[in-house]
Amino acid sequence: MKRSVVLYPGLGVGHLTPMVELAKVFLHHGAAVTVALVEPPTNSPDFSAAVARAAASNPSVTFHVLPPAPADPSSSDGGISSAHHIVLMFDYLKAMCAPLRDFLRSLPAVDALVLDMFCGDALDVAAELNLPVYYFYASGAGDLAVFLNLARMDTRTTFAELGDSLVSLPGAPPFKASDLPKEISQGSPGAKPILGALYRLPEANGILVNTFESLETRAVRALRDGLCVPDHPTPPVYCIGPLVSEGGEKEHECLRWLDTQPENSVVFLSFGSMGTFPKKQLEEIAIGLEKSGQRFLWVVRSPGNPEDMLRPLPEPDLDALLPEGFLGRTKDTGLVLKSWAPQVDVLRHRATGAFVTHCGWNSTLEGITAGLPLLCWPLYAEQRMNKVFIVEEMKLGVEMKGYNEELVEAEEVETKVRWVMEYEGGQALRKRVAEVKGRATEAIEEGGSSHAAFVEFLKDLDNMSLL
Ligand code: UDP
C-alpha cells in the first residue's frame, strides 16, 4: 500500500521551503504527502506567498492549513502573550499541537510524521497517536552536531564571557564562542525554548538532514559515532540533501536585467527572509559596492528590529536609506531590489558571479548548487556557525570582516567584492565550489549517497510499521 506521510514545517519561510522539497522526494518514492501548515501569528506576506508558490508548483502535494489554536481563556490574546519573537514562536507552536492532533486523527492512515527541528512538542502528539516520528533538520550536519551537544551542556556561562576563546566539540573545527548563536546565550529569552527543542531531537526515530555526506564528513562521522549526544543514543541520521528549491520564476525585472549582463559578472547580495541592517550599514554597503566598480544586484529591506523579527516590514524607501545619488550613479552597473528577489533564479543565472550571503542554510545550499563563491556575512540564529563550516571546513567562502562587530565597513565590502571578482584567490574559490556543486548533483542522483540514505530511511520506516 502507498505510504502516507505528514510533514510539519512549523513557522518561517526558511523552514517551509526545504520541507516542500522533502515532500517532492517522498512523492518521487511513491508516498502520499500532506504538508500541515501553521499560519504565522503575525501576518506574513512572505510566508503566504511562499505557500501559494509551493502549492501552485506542486499540485500532487496536499497543503492543509491547520485551524488556529484554541484560545487560552486565561489570556486576553488567545494564549499568545509572550513579547519576544522566539518565545512567541515556541508558545505558538506548542498551542498548535491540539489542532495538529485533531488533523492527524482525522486522516484515514498516517505512516509517519516528519517534524521541523523546532516542533519538539509535536513528539508528544506522535507518541499519543503511536506514530513513527522523524525530524527533518533544515540546517547542516555540523550545526546538528554542535547543537545536539550544546543542548545537553551547562550553558550558564554566557558566550559573551567566553569571548573569543575556542570551543571544541565533536563534529566541528574549533570555533570561537562568539560564533555561537546569540539567541541561546544566557539571558536571551529564546535560550530555554530553543535548547529545550534541540534537547528532544534524539527522541525521534531518526533525523533527516538537508546535507550530503561528502560536504560535511567530519560532522556526519561524529553523529554516526554517537559522539554528539553524550547521555542518550543518537537515532539514525540520514543525509538526504541538498534539497534546494528549483526556482522557476521567469518574468521578474531583475532576471531581465541579468539577461543584459556579461557572464559571471554580477555580485548578488541577499540576506535571507529576515535579515535587515540599520541605515548606516546600508550606506557602507552602498559606498563599498560603488567603489568596487563591480556589477551588483542587491536586495534591500527596511531596517528592522532584531528583537521582533516576525513583524512584517514596510517597503524600503531607497532614496531615504541609500547615499544621495547612489542609485543614479550606479544605474548602469547595479540594480537594487526592494525586499525580495527570486533568489534561486538569480543565483543560477549565467550572469551571477558571486553571492554575499547571511549564511542561512538554504541560501548556503542554493549558492553551492549554483556553483558560486560565498562571501559570508552571518546575521542571526545559527548563521555564524554556518560561516565557520563554510569557511573552515568546506572552504567554499570567505568571511566579511566586521560581521561580529558594529559595522562591516565600506572598505571591506569593496575589498572582498573585488577580491572575489577580480583576483586569483576568488577564481580558485569559484573552481572549488564548481567541484563541490558536481558532488552535490551526484549525491542526489540514483545511486548517490543522499539517494541511498533516503532509500535506507524508507526501509527503516517500513520495518517500524511492522513492529
Ligand atoms: N529568499 C528569496 N528571496 C529573498 C530572500 C530569501 O527567495 O530575497 C529565499 C532563499 O532563496 C531561501 C530562503 O528564502 O530559500 C531563506 O532561507 P535561509 O535558510 O537562507 O535563511 P532564513 O531566511 O531562514 O534566515
Side-chain angles (χ1 to χ4, degrees):
M1 217 176 67
K2 207 172 185 176
R3 294 183 197 93
S4 172
V5 295
V6 173
L7 310 186
Y8 188 52
L11 287 166
V13 176
H15 294 236
L16 173 67
T17 308
M19 201 63 119
V20 171
E21 294 309 308
L22 177 62
K24 291 194 216 165
V25 179
F26 271 109
L27 278 184
H28 178 76
H29 286 267
V33 191
T34 303
V35 182
L37 294 164
V38 177
E39 256 182 301
T42 46
N43 170 37
S44 165
D46 289 349
F47 187 80
S48 311
V51 171
R53 271 198 307 272
S57 50
N58 302 287
S60 309
V61 177
T62 307
F63 289 87
H64 176 83
V65 181
L66 295 171
D72 173 354
S74 64
S75 150
S76 57
D77 61 355
I80 311 301
S81 55
S82 314
H84 190 274
H85 69 276
I86 295 176
V87 181
L88 175 77
M89 179 183 87
F90 280 100
D91 283 356
Y92 194 69
L93 288 172
K94 192 177 179 68
M96 286 305 295
C97 283
L100 176 68
R101 183 180 43 236
D102 293 346
F103 174 61
L104 291 169
R105 274 204 180 121
S106 75
L107 296 173
V110 183
D111 295 302
L113 175 64
V114 181
L115 304 177
D116 174 71
M117 66 221 245
F118 288 151
C119 297
D121 289 314
L123 286 169
D124 301 328
V125 176
E128 199 184 321
L129 304 182
N130 205 14
L131 279 179
V133 61
Y134 293 83
Y135 273 103
F136 176 54
Y137 194 77
S139 196
D143 282 326
L144 177 61
V146 168
F147 292 129
L148 280 174
N149 218 316
L150 276 181
R152 298 184 122 69
M153 277 162 64
D154 182 352
T155 50
R156 271 174 296 181
T157 315
T158 68
F159 304 145
E161 245 172 64
L162 290 171
D164 279 347
S165 56
L166 288 180
V167 179
S168 282
L169 288 176
F175 58 89
K176 288 187 216 154
S178 57
D179 279 326
L180 287 167
K182 290 194 288 290
E183 290 83 350
I184 57 171
S185 64
Q186 196 200 27
S188 163
K192 202 167 160 222
I194 293 176
L195 290 169
L198 296 168
Y199 188 88
R200 296 199 69 181
L201 285 169
E203 290 177 38
N205 298 109
I207 306 176
L208 304 163
V209 190
N210 193 9
T211 192
F212 53 106
E213 279 197 42
S214 71
L215 185 69
E216 299 191 88
T217 42
R218 182 204 305 235
V220 173
R221 204 175 317 120
L223 288 163
R224 296 245 164 95
D225 291 347
L227 301 178
C228 307
V229 192
D231 59 350
H232 193 285
T234 308
V237 170
Y238 309 93
C239 298
I240 58 161
L243 303 183
V244 172
S245 152
E246 284 161 24
E249 184 109 27
K250 292 196 175 66
E251 298 311 322
H252 199 281
E253 56 156 328
C254 72
L255 300 172
R256 297 292 70 78
W257 180 80
L258 282 170
D259 287 344
T260 65
Q261 306 301 319
E263 192 151 338
N264 284 333
S265 69
V266 176
V267 180
F268 177 54
L269 301 91
S270 169
F271 300 90
S273 58
M274 292 180 283
T276 61
F277 292 114
K279 177 173 156 59
K280 171 76 185 135
Q281 181 64 79
L282 292 172
E283 286 170 348
E284 290 290 308
I285 298 173
I287 295 166
L289 286 175
E290 188 174 353
K291 283 197 171 156
S292 78
Q294 294 295 328
R295 293 166 205 270
F296 64 86
L297 176 57
W298 178 19
V299 187
V300 172
R301 311 185 134 232
S302 294
N305 174 3
E307 295 301 313
D308 190 8
M309 291 168 68
L310 289 180
R311 194 168 299 281
L313 296 168
E315 284 264 283
D317 177 349
L318 298 181
D319 288 322
L321 288 169
L322 303 177
E324 208 180 327
F326 168 78
L327 290 171
R329 288 193 303 277
T330 56
K331 71 177 176 0
D332 294 332
T333 51
L335 183 65
V336 177
L337 289 179
K338 290 184 185 175
S339 305
W340 193 257
Q343 178 164 305
V344 172
D345 301 288
V346 169
L347 292 170
R348 293 187 181 171
H349 196 285
R350 55 153 195 83
T352 307
F355 183 20
V356 182
T357 172
H358 76 316
C359 305
W361 191 246
N362 294 299
S363 295
T364 302
L365 292 179
E366 288 162 6
I368 294 172
T369 52
L372 294 176
L374 307 174
L375 297 183
C376 300
W377 188 330
L379 297 177
Y380 51 89
E382 85 297 1
Q383 292 150 16
R384 290 175 182 211
M385 284 309 305
N386 291 346
K387 188 261 334 173
V388 171
F389 289 108
I390 295 166
V391 174
E392 284 166 41
E393 286 282 271
M394 306 170 197
K395 304 197 190 311
L396 300 179
V398 292
E399 75 178 33
M400 302 288 289
K401 287 206 175 69
Y403 74 87
N404 50 356
E405 288 152 28
E406 291 247 305
L407 201 68
V408 172
E409 291 178 0
E411 199 184 330
E412 171 68 2
V413 175
E414 177 193 351
T415 306
K416 285 284 156 60
V417 163
R418 292 192 54 196
W419 177 84
V420 80
M421 299 303 281
E422 294 173 22
Y423 286 76
E424 244 173 58
Q427 287 308 322
L429 193 56
R430 187 165 291 114
K431 249 172 108 177
R432 187 168 152 66
V433 189
E435 187 242 315
V436 175
K437 173 188 168 181
R439 284 199 265 127
T441 310
E442 280 166 26
I444 50 175
E445 280 168 0
E446 184 112 25
S449 64
S450 295
H451 186 272
F454 197 80
V455 171
E456 189 192 329
F457 155 69
L458 290 177
K459 219 165 75 202
D460 292 350
L461 176 59
D462 288 347
N463 288 338
M464 293 263 328
S465 320
L466 296 176
L467 290 179

